[in-house]
Amino acid sequence: MSNFVEILKQVGEFGLFQKRLLVALCFPCMFGAFDVIGQVFASMSFRHHCNTDWILDRGPNLTYERQRNLTLPVNKDGTFESCKMFTPVDLDLETIEAYGINSTIECTDGWDYDAPEGASSILSEFDLVCDKSGLIETSQSIYMAGFMVGALTFGTISDRFGRRFAILLSLSLLLLFGVGSSFSPNIYFYMVLKFFCGGSGGVIIMNTSVMGAEWTDSSKSAFCTTVILCFVPLGLMVLPGIAFFIRNWRILQLVLYSPLLLIVVILYWFLPESARWLVSQGRKEDAQKVLQRAARVNGRETPEDLVANCVDGTNTTIINDLIHSNTRFSTSLLYYGLSLNVGSFGLDIYLTQFIFGVVEIPALLSSLFLTQHIGRRISQAGFLFLGGAACLVTLAIPKDFPEMVTVIAVLGKYCAAGSFCTAYVYTAELYPTVLRQSGLGLSSMCARVGGILAPLIRLLEVYHYTVPMLTYGIVPVTAGLLCLLLPETRNVELQDQMELK
């Protein structure tokens, strides 16, 4: 058993100090949810068709409906084409009305969007339709690429400079780049800023969950991680309400990210460093001060030489985590494959996103119950297997039943959220303190590969509409079976030393 476990018992394993810290670590996670899923509302799709105002030179009094009938071809389902128009001709209006126009071309003068009054998105403002429609998925993948780089970078930063520094830095950068994205002049500048948003905002959960776990004993680490993660679905539930009333994507970005300024200021004065990390770095005097502060808040008395004999590891760790990395990859692919595909299930996007947020609360609570009673390994495998199976089942439901498709997709999201929660608990327990954040960063990097591929896989529907959901289903099912080969860590104390394995 680690010496730090004995120290924590003297200070208080889950007293008032830890409870206050837990509350402080929860709220930043809401902004992580805003950052990831806010892209769904920033890229809202509107019905659109070619701008055909050229014909108004011939007939300035044409009604809007008559203008579309004369200048836009109709596709097979009886609606106007979105990306084609009749070729402009140098004829008078009477001739056009009498004989029509037979040839078509792609849009030449931009598009008109059937958007509600005051509504806008990056799709309508930057014309991300027709031949540019893939740029939305590209921007989401670039965000995930930033998430991947940030996971590895902040893992190293946290292990080198401390948990407190990593949390404050990630929140400050998210504030800077999140607010900055609202002033993007074009889609390419927006993509660059979202890359840095992913690199900072995407790692908030990783940073806060490690801090929470290191200040508690093994019996409470899963509880703390779950409580922190519960603020992600809370953010997902609040987000659709904010987006419903703020339809302008630029204003929405400002409203979502500006409160971070207050959060950063409060945490700068309140947030302590991880005493477990300080001990692992040999900074025992600093650890003594932080632990005495915690003891005072918890109403405990501690000796002056509390950490004098605490051992910090210097050996070498060799951890074979290929299976666990595949687990994180598959979890991320399933989670973001469903989350970023929320607009295609047939129901209102605001309602569906709210339901997706609500369903994560019981998913996280069930994850806590299962990991505490049947273990991490079986829980992880079960969530992955059932989540993948739900994706496969949606393919068997006719498109005429969007409600049923949404119900099954919600079950898949339930399992994906439960798998994510279990993965965060599991990963923190697999690595020692000196490598915990780097290890979590490495596995999160693998998860981000899944996040990068998730929106790109949706582009494969041009070959067949079943390909994306088949992929989202088969990969997690396979990973769930492989997960059974992982070791169990339930009721095993966190390692501080590195052990040769």
Side-chain angles (χ1 to χ4, degrees):
M1 181 179 291
S2 170
N3 287 337
F4 191 84
V5 176
E6 298 298 330
I7 293 173
L8 203 57
K9 288 180 179 179
Q10 297 182 57
V11 171
E13 296 163 301
F14 196 65
L16 180 60
F17 177 84
Q18 284 88 348
K19 292 172 183 176
R20 293 197 320 188
L21 176 62
L22 181 60
V23 172
L25 294 174
C26 286
F27 288 100
C29 293
M30 293 182 64
F31 295 91
F34 292 165
D35 189 42
V36 177
I37 307 301
Q39 300 172 86
V40 173
F41 298 101
S43 59
M44 280 278 288
S45 178
F46 305 112
R47 295 186 63 180
H48 58 87
H49 56 78
C50 299
N51 181 349
T52 58
D53 287 347
W54 64 269
I55 200 171
L56 296 180
D57 294 334
R58 282 78 167 171
N61 296 323
L62 279 174
T63 64
Y64 182 61
E65 189 64 28
R66 186 60 178 157
Q67 176 186 346
R68 293 199 298 179
N69 287 331
L70 291 175
T71 58
L72 297 175
V74 176
N75 54 32
K76 294 179 179 180
D77 61 5
T79 59
F80 291 110
E81 286 279 2
S82 299
C83 300
K84 290 183 179 181
M85 66 180 190
F86 288 125
T87 306
V89 293
D90 191 17
L91 299 174
D92 56 61
L93 182 61
E94 290 75 14
T95 303
I96 294 175
E97 288 180 325
Y99 299 100
I101 305 173
N102 294 323
S103 61
T104 61
I105 59 172
E106 295 182 354
C107 303
T108 58
D109 298 313
W111 289 263
D112 290 329
Y113 298 91
D114 296 334
E117 183 178 356
S120 69
S121 69
I122 60 172
L123 178 142
S124 61
E125 191 163 327
F126 301 142
D127 288 332
L128 305 183
V129 294
C130 300
D131 59 334
K132 292 184 178 180
S133 60
L135 289 178
I136 292 179
E137 284 77 13
T138 302
S139 70
Q140 293 172 347
S141 290
I142 288 176
Y143 171 88
M144 289 298 174
F147 202 155
M148 179 180 69
V149 174
L152 193 59
T153 303
F154 272 91
T156 304
I157 289 174
S158 182
D159 282 338
R160 176 66 180 85
F161 300 103
R163 314 319 194 201
R164 180 179 186 273
F165 178 80
I167 291 173
L168 292 175
L169 179 61
S170 63
L171 290 173
S172 300
L173 292 177
L174 180 60
L175 170 64
L176 175 64
F177 295 118
V179 171
S181 67
S182 65
F183 300 99
S184 300
N186 54 58
I187 182 60
Y188 303 105
F189 196 83
Y190 174 83
M191 287 180 179
V192 171
L193 290 178
K194 292 310 291 184
F195 174 87
F196 289 108
C197 282
S200 52
V203 298
I204 290 175
I205 300 172
M206 181 181 77
N207 293 336
T208 54
S209 63
V210 168
M211 172 75 92
E214 290 185 348
W215 266 108
T216 56
D217 70 340
S218 61
S219 66
K220 290 291 190 296
S221 62
F223 172 78
C224 290
T225 301
T226 302
V227 171
I228 290 172
L229 290 176
C230 278
F231 275 71
V232 175
L234 182 60
L236 296 180
M237 293 161 60
V238 172
L239 177 60
I242 298 174
F244 181 81
F245 291 104
I246 303 176
R247 300 295 182 99
N248 184 297
W249 77 273
R250 293 185 184 274
I251 298 176
L252 179 63
Q253 302 301 298
L254 290 173
V255 171
L256 292 180
Y257 293 108
S258 295
L260 272 172
L261 179 60
L262 179 61
I263 298 292
V264 171
V265 171
I266 293 174
L267 290 183
Y268 179 82
W269 293 107
F270 171 79
L271 194 66
E273 182 54 89
S274 167
R276 192 187 291 265
W277 176 81
L278 290 170
V279 170
S280 72
Q281 299 297 306
R283 296 170 55 181
K284 295 183 179 180
E285 291 184 5
D286 294 331
Q288 179 77 26
K289 294 177 182 178
V290 176
L291 287 167
Q292 286 179 337
R293 172 187 169 188
R296 284 195 302 271
V297 175
N298 289 339
R300 299 288 188 91
E301 295 290 336
T302 57
E304 292 295 328
D305 59 346
L306 184 62
V307 297
N309 298 317
C310 191
V311 179
D312 54 297
T314 55
N315 299 324
T316 304
T317 297
I318 301 174
I319 301 178
N320 185 353
D321 60 348
L322 291 177
I323 296 177
H324 185 66
S325 297
N326 179 58
T327 298
R328 293 297 303 273
F329 167 83
S330 304
T331 298
S332 183
L333 186 73
L334 174 64
Y335 184 91
Y336 291 110
L338 292 173
S339 297
L340 298 177
N341 206 31
V342 67
S344 66
F345 296 126
L347 294 183
D348 178 76
I349 186 173
Y350 299 98
L351 175 61
T352 306
Q353 185 58 62
F354 178 78
I355 294 173
F356 270 24
V358 170
V359 76
E360 288 199 22
I361 298 292
L364 298 179
L365 296 179
S366 64
S367 171
L368 174 62
F369 176 83
L370 293 173
T371 53
Q372 295 286 61
H373 289 83
I374 67 173
R376 283 49 162 159
R377 180 180 58 185
I378 300 299
S379 300
Q380 185 82 79
F383 280 126
L384 280 170
F385 186 86
L386 294 176
C391 290
L392 298 177
V393 169
T394 60
L395 297 175
I397 302 173
K399 292 184 177 181
D400 296 336
F401 299 95
E403 295 84 1
M404 189 176 297
V405 172
T406 302
V407 169
I408 301 299
V410 165
L411 292 176
K413 181 68 182 298
Y414 173 95
C415 294
S419 180
F420 243 127
C421 181
T422 306
Y424 270 103
V425 173
Y426 209 174
T427 307
E429 295 174 345
L430 288 173
Y431 291 93
T433 300
V434 290
L435 287 179
R436 181 165 295 116
Q437 191 84 32
S438 293
L440 189 57
L442 180 61
S443 61
S444 292
M445 185 184 71
C446 296
R448 298 297 73 80
V449 175
I452 293 171
L453 293 178
L456 297 180
I457 287 173
R458 287 160 50 194
L459 298 176
L460 297 178
E461 65 183 0
V462 299
Y463 299 104
H464 198 276
Y465 76 94
T466 62
V467 174
M469 274 300 174
L470 277 174
T471 307
Y472 297 146
I474 293 174
V475 173
V477 167
T478 304
L481 296 175
L482 291 175
C483 191
L484 296 174
L485 301 176
L486 289 171
E488 181 55 66
T489 60
R490 180 168 62 110
N491 294 329
V492 177
E493 296 291 349
L494 293 181
Q495 301 177 62
D496 292 318
Q497 301 185 67
M498 295 185 289
E499 299 176 0
L500 186 62
K501 294 185 178 180

